[in-house]
Amino acid sequence: MKDKDVIIALDFHSRNEVFDFLGRLGTLRPYVKVGMELFYSEGARLVAELKERGHKVFLDLKLHDIPTTVSRSMNVISRMGADMVNLHAAGGSAMMKAALEGLVRPDGTRPLLVAVTVLTSTDAAALKNELLVGKSVAETVETYAANAAACGLDGVVCSPLEAENIHAKLGMDFLTVTPGIRFEGADAQDQKRIATPESAARLGSDFIVVGRPITCADRPDEAYLACRKAFLEAANN
Ligand code: C5P
């Protein structure tokens, strides 16, 4: 059975905000996502603190550079103890393979490596007129995901609504990590294509990334536990 889990997006600006929030979760130690805002503000020390506290960490830094730079940077990231990291599939196959090589630690272990395909903020017009990609968003997502799989990556970040198709094309072992989660009846806020934890699980999401529905809840501990229960129960049925 593959690991499936809920990852809480720590979309905070400072260490104090992070630990105020985590303090409200009591003894719970969820899988957390550290993105660019928090990482640029607090750096590697925060990742180490989260690991010491018992959290798994998805370091969401979306690397995209020449293969050597990405490989060397992934080596540094891997030594921070991150459990999952990512890059842009648009960086190409040589970059993705170099990233994987860079991630391997001296003991042979490495974090999971997943690829961002097409950012959800990139629409069909931007893809065609600015990035000069002459294919549809769906075709581009599929091809980028297939490239990532062919390079040996573990999966992709995608919408829960794309997860089913990606598993159908690339197999159930290829991970889908999906943001855009909202609880039944909740406000979508700025998310466009959303799913509940249950429906994301049924569509085959392996990891759901949940931010504001948990971080802004009156009782984040209860929101997290309810979300995780709903997701894992639906995933195991
Ligand atoms: O608060 P919310 O649940 O919308 O947070 C979702 C998290 O997932 C944020 O950290 C956001 O940056 C990230 N994300 C996303 N859509 C993507 C990629 C990442 O919402 N396509």
Side-chain angles (χ1 to χ4, degrees):
M1 183 70 194
K2 271 194 295 181
D3 258 2
K4 301 222 170 200
D5 213 343
V6 173
I7 302 178
I8 302 182
L10 295 179
D11 291 325
F12 299 111
H13 192 72
S14 71
R15 184 187 174 282
N16 284 349
E17 285 175 288
V18 168
F19 286 102
D20 278 353
F21 168 70
L22 293 176
R24 296 176 68 202
L25 298 182
T27 56
L28 298 169
R29 294 291 182 267
Y31 208 134
V32 293
K33 178 171 89 71
V34 173
M36 284 187 246
E37 177 191 1
L38 185 57
F39 189 76
Y40 293 148
S41 152
E42 297 291 347
R45 180 67 211 132
L46 180 79
V47 178
E49 268 185 275
L50 291 167
K51 290 297 300 175
E52 280 157 21
R53 213 171 171 266
H55 298 274
K56 284 192 161 181
V57 178
F58 171 20
L59 200 44
D60 177 19
L61 300 180
K62 301 186 180 69
L63 274 66
H64 186 168
D65 207 320
I66 59 170
T68 305
T69 302
V70 169
S71 178
R72 295 170 71 100
S73 305
M74 286 297 190
N75 193 260
V76 175
I77 288 173
S78 186
R79 280 187 271 130
M80 284 175 205
D83 298 277
M84 186 187 300
V85 299
N86 63 359
L87 46 63
H88 277 283
S93 295
M95 186 199 78
M96 289 195 271
K97 287 180 190 158
L100 262 186
E101 282 166 22
L103 279 177
V104 180
R105 302 183 181 111
D107 66 0
T109 64
R110 66 164 175 82
L112 292 171
L113 178 60
V114 295
V116 175
T117 56
V118 179
L119 287 172
T120 42
S121 51
T122 305
D123 61 11
L127 197 66
K128 182 166 182 273
N129 303 325
E130 294 177 36
L131 304 184
L132 307 182
V133 174
K135 305 277 183 193
S136 69
V137 172
E139 253 182 292
T140 310
V141 168
E142 249 183 66
T143 302
Y144 283 13
N147 291 347
C151 290
L153 269 69
D154 301 293
V156 285
V157 181
C158 63
S159 150
L161 309 177
E162 289 161 359
E164 200 167 28
N165 183 41
I166 284 174
H167 284 304
K169 297 259 160 45
L170 300 170
M172 294 310 287
D173 287 342
F174 194 64
L175 301 174
T176 51
V177 180
T178 67
I181 304 297
R182 289 294 176 267
F183 301 151
E184 193 69 51
D187 183 358
Q189 294 159 311
D190 52 355
Q191 294 284 12
K192 300 266 185 294
R193 302 174 69 219
I194 56 172
T196 62
E198 295 87 339
S199 55
R202 280 189 219 105
L203 290 166
S205 290
D206 296 293
F207 292 92
I208 53 172
V209 177
V210 189
R212 289 161 291 179
I214 295 175
T215 57
C216 298
D218 288 337
R219 288 290 306 261
D221 51 346
E222 287 173 7
Y224 167 69
L225 286 173
C227 174
R228 192 161 190 268
K229 182 166 183 281
F231 175 66
L232 293 179
E233 277 181 8
N236 292 324
N237 276 326

